[in-house]
Amino acid sequence: MSECKEMLQKIAEDFNCKVWVCEKISKRVSFIKDLKAGVERFEAPKVIVEDDRFVVFGQVDEICPKLIDAAWKVIDCVRHSAKNIETPTEG
């Protein structure tokens, strides 16, 4: 998932924000280890994008279309990485 982490770091730099990814588990969300970037800001986190399984949160002033597009790419990356991890190998 290092590619996904790099994408998050780019978002944090480009939008001067803190971003992280969580996975929905039943009625709660669980932080995905090492999928965060940026410096802590003193404002409430906002949901940037979410699908049926993942949520990208951010501490950001404004959620603009470019930020939304970048966050969707992160979700696609995480989904692809998770699929590869979950796929059992034959042996």
Side-chain angles (χ1 to χ4, degrees):
M1 286 203 197
S2 63
E3 179 183 343
C4 306
K5 171 82 174 175
E6 290 173 12
M7 295 170 81
L8 284 173
Q9 289 173 333
K10 177 101 171 93
I11 290 172
E13 292 170 8
D14 290 351
F15 296 95
N16 190 30
C17 65
K18 180 173 182 177
V19 288
W20 61 97
V21 181
C22 292
E23 183 174 12
K24 295 178 182 178
I25 301 173
S26 188
K27 293 184 178 185
R28 65 181 185 97
V29 292
S30 178
F31 173 73
I32 299 176
K33 184 179 180 195
D34 295 330
L35 282 183
K36 65 178 175 180
V39 178
E40 186 75 29
R41 297 176 62 167
F42 296 102
E43 61 184 82
K46 301 172 186 164
V47 173
I48 298 172
V49 294
E50 70 177 300
D51 67 5
D52 61 321
R53 186 171 171 194
F54 298 104
V55 183
V56 177
F57 287 100
Q59 290 176 317
V60 60
D61 294 329
E62 181 182 336
I63 299 175
C64 66
K66 285 185 178 183
L67 176 57
I68 292 170
D69 289 343
W72 277 120
K73 289 177 183 174
V74 170
I75 284 186
D76 288 342
C77 179
V78 172
R79 187 175 288 281
H80 178 73
S81 296
K83 184 188 292 185
N84 287 341
I85 291 169
E86 293 171 1
T87 303
T89 57
E90 294 182 31

